[in-house]
PDB file of all heavy atoms in Angstrom:
ATOM      1  N   ALA I 223     -32.670  24.497   5.490  1.00  0.00           N
ATOM      2  CA  ALA I 223     -33.182  24.232   6.846  1.00  0.00           C
ATOM      3  C   ALA I 223     -32.927  25.467   7.622  1.00  0.00           C
ATOM      4  O   ALA I 223     -31.810  25.939   7.770  1.00  0.00           O
ATOM      5  CB  ALA I 223     -32.447  23.004   7.440  1.00  0.00           C
ATOM      6  N   GLU I 260     -29.240  27.151   6.910  1.00  0.00           N
ATOM      7  CA  GLU I 260     -28.917  28.535   6.396  1.00  0.00           C
ATOM      8  C   GLU I 260     -27.515  28.952   6.863  1.00  0.00           C
ATOM      9  O   GLU I 260     -27.286  28.924   8.102  1.00  0.00           O
ATOM     10  CB  GLU I 260     -29.995  29.466   6.880  1.00  0.00           C
ATOM     11  CG  GLU I 260     -31.152  29.530   5.907  1.00  0.00           C
ATOM     12  CD  GLU I 260     -32.030  30.738   6.173  1.00  0.00           C
ATOM     13  OE1 GLU I 260     -32.121  31.182   7.358  1.00  0.00           O
ATOM     14  OE2 GLU I 260     -32.592  31.282   5.211  1.00  0.00           O
ATOM     15  N   MET I 300     -40.730   3.417 -16.611  1.00  0.00           N
ATOM     16  CA  MET I 300     -40.549   2.257 -17.515  1.00  0.00           C
ATOM     17  C   MET I 300     -40.811   0.959 -16.713  1.00  0.00           C
ATOM     18  O   MET I 300     -41.396   0.019 -17.240  1.00  0.00           O
ATOM     19  CB  MET I 300     -39.066   2.283 -17.942  1.00  0.00           C
ATOM     20  CG  MET I 300     -38.492   1.040 -18.541  1.00  0.00           C
ATOM     21  SD  MET I 300     -36.799   1.433 -19.000  1.00  0.00           S
ATOM     22  CE  MET I 300     -36.214  -0.217 -19.402  1.00  0.00           C
ATOM     23  N   LEU I 346     -28.832  -6.793  -4.110  1.00  0.00           N
ATOM     24  CA  LEU I 346     -29.681  -7.962  -3.874  1.00  0.00           C
ATOM     25  C   LEU I 346     -30.921  -7.900  -4.807  1.00  0.00           C
ATOM     26  O   LEU I 346     -31.354  -8.946  -5.346  1.00  0.00           O
ATOM     27  CB  LEU I 346     -30.222  -7.960  -2.443  1.00  0.00           C
ATOM     28  CG  LEU I 346     -31.008  -9.184  -2.013  1.00  0.00           C
ATOM     29  CD1 LEU I 346     -30.096 -10.335  -1.742  1.00  0.00           C
ATOM     30  CD2 LEU I 346     -31.829  -8.925  -0.756  1.00  0.00           C
ATOM     31  N   ARG I 361     -38.153 -23.066 -16.619  1.00  0.00           N
ATOM     32  CA  ARG I 361     -39.460 -23.809 -16.662  1.00  0.00           C
ATOM     33  C   ARG I 361     -40.049 -23.704 -18.094  1.00  0.00           C
ATOM     34  O   ARG I 361     -40.481 -24.700 -18.617  1.00  0.00           O
ATOM     35  CB  ARG I 361     -40.366 -23.097 -15.656  1.00  0.00           C
ATOM     36  CG  ARG I 361     -41.816 -23.536 -15.669  1.00  0.00           C
ATOM     37  CD  ARG I 361     -42.053 -24.872 -15.073  1.00  0.00           C
ATOM     38  NE  ARG I 361     -41.572 -24.940 -13.703  1.00  0.00           N
ATOM     39  CZ  ARG I 361     -42.283 -24.566 -12.625  1.00  0.00           C
ATOM     40  NH1 ARG I 361     -43.502 -24.109 -12.810  1.00  0.00           N
ATOM     41  NH2 ARG I 361     -41.775 -24.727 -11.439  1.00  0.00           N
ATOM     42  N   PRO I 378     -39.413 -36.985 -33.086  1.00  0.00           N
ATOM     43  CA  PRO I 378     -40.495 -36.068 -32.689  1.00  0.00           C
ATOM     44  C   PRO I 378     -39.982 -34.668 -32.327  1.00  0.00           C
ATOM     45  O   PRO I 378     -38.785 -34.484 -32.079  1.00  0.00           O
ATOM     46  CB  PRO I 378     -41.050 -36.730 -31.450  1.00  0.00           C
ATOM     47  CG  PRO I 378     -39.911 -37.550 -30.889  1.00  0.00           C
ATOM     48  CD  PRO I 378     -39.095 -37.946 -32.061  1.00  0.00           C
ATOM     49  N   CYS I 463     -43.731 -10.250 -25.013  1.00  0.00           N
ATOM     50  CA  CYS I 463     -45.233  -9.928 -24.807  1.00  0.00           C
ATOM     51  C   CYS I 463     -45.567  -9.872 -23.310  1.00  0.00           C
ATOM     52  O   CYS I 463     -45.016 -10.610 -22.517  1.00  0.00           O
ATOM     53  CB  CYS I 463     -46.081 -11.050 -25.475  1.00  0.00           C
ATOM     54  SG  CYS I 463     -45.771 -11.067 -27.247  1.00  0.00           S
ATOM     55  N   MET I 468     -41.482 -11.878 -18.388  1.00  0.00           N
ATOM     56  CA  MET I 468     -40.050 -11.521 -18.693  1.00  0.00           C
ATOM     57  C   MET I 468     -39.861 -10.020 -18.924  1.00  0.00           C
ATOM     58  O   MET I 468     -38.972  -9.427 -18.460  1.00  0.00           O
ATOM     59  CB  MET I 468     -39.525 -12.269 -19.898  1.00  0.00           C
ATOM     60  CG  MET I 468     -39.157 -13.691 -19.579  1.00  0.00           C
ATOM     61  SD  MET I 468     -37.946 -13.709 -18.295  1.00  0.00           S
ATOM     62  CE  MET I 468     -38.665 -14.892 -17.224  1.00  0.00           C
ATOM     63  N   MET I 490     -16.366   4.502 -10.021  1.00  0.00           N
ATOM     64  CA  MET I 490     -15.325   5.485  -9.590  1.00  0.00           C
ATOM     65  C   MET I 490     -15.043   5.451  -8.118  1.00  0.00           C
ATOM     66  O   MET I 490     -13.922   5.637  -7.654  1.00  0.00           O
ATOM     67  CB  MET I 490     -15.849   6.901  -9.976  1.00  0.00           C
ATOM     68  CG  MET I 490     -15.797   7.116 -11.501  1.00  0.00           C
ATOM     69  SD  MET I 490     -16.069   8.798 -11.946  1.00  0.00           S
ATOM     70  CE  MET I 490     -17.867   8.843 -11.863  1.00  0.00           C
ATOM     71  N   ARG I 495     -11.880   5.886  -4.154  1.00  0.00           N
ATOM     72  CA  ARG I 495     -11.942   5.862  -2.712  1.00  0.00           C
ATOM     73  C   ARG I 495     -11.527   4.502  -2.125  1.00  0.00           C
ATOM     74  O   ARG I 495     -10.877   4.476  -1.053  1.00  0.00           O
ATOM     75  CB  ARG I 495     -13.386   6.206  -2.230  1.00  0.00           C
ATOM     76  CG  ARG I 495     -13.696   7.698  -2.411  1.00  0.00           C
ATOM     77  CD  ARG I 495     -15.088   8.106  -1.848  1.00  0.00           C
ATOM     78  NE  ARG I 495     -15.151   7.747  -0.466  1.00  0.00           N
ATOM     79  CZ  ARG I 495     -16.146   7.030   0.057  1.00  0.00           C
ATOM     80  NH1 ARG I 495     -17.052   6.524  -0.749  1.00  0.00           N
ATOM     81  NH2 ARG I 495     -16.232   6.758   1.323  1.00  0.00           N
ATOM     82  N   CYS I 505      -8.324  -1.557   1.642  1.00  0.00           N
ATOM     83  CA  CYS I 505      -9.453  -2.281   1.105  1.00  0.00           C
ATOM     84  C   CYS I 505      -9.003  -3.314   0.044  1.00  0.00           C
ATOM     85  O   CYS I 505      -9.433  -4.454   0.068  1.00  0.00           O
ATOM     86  CB  CYS I 505     -10.463  -1.345   0.388  1.00  0.00           C
ATOM     87  SG  CYS I 505     -11.214  -0.214   1.641  1.00  0.00           S
ATOM     88  N   GLY I 587     -19.776 -35.736  -3.043  1.00  0.00           N
ATOM     89  CA  GLY I 587     -21.209 -36.151  -3.078  1.00  0.00           C
ATOM     90  C   GLY I 587     -21.891 -36.204  -1.721  1.00  0.00           C
ATOM     91  O   GLY I 587     -23.044 -36.507  -1.617  1.00  0.00           O
ATOM     92  N   ALA I 604     -20.586 -24.189 -12.680  1.00  0.00           N
ATOM     93  CA  ALA I 604     -19.305 -23.645 -12.313  1.00  0.00           C
ATOM     94  C   ALA I 604     -18.318 -23.855 -13.392  1.00  0.00           C
ATOM     95  O   ALA I 604     -17.546 -22.957 -13.800  1.00  0.00           O
ATOM     96  CB  ALA I 604     -18.784 -24.264 -11.004  1.00  0.00           C
TER      97      ALA I 604
END
Side-chain angles (χ1 to χ4, degrees):
E260 272 195 328
M300 166 180 170
L346 186 78
R361 171 75 57 84
C463 297
M468 281 304 130
M490 287 189 282
R495 289 186 53 235
C505 295

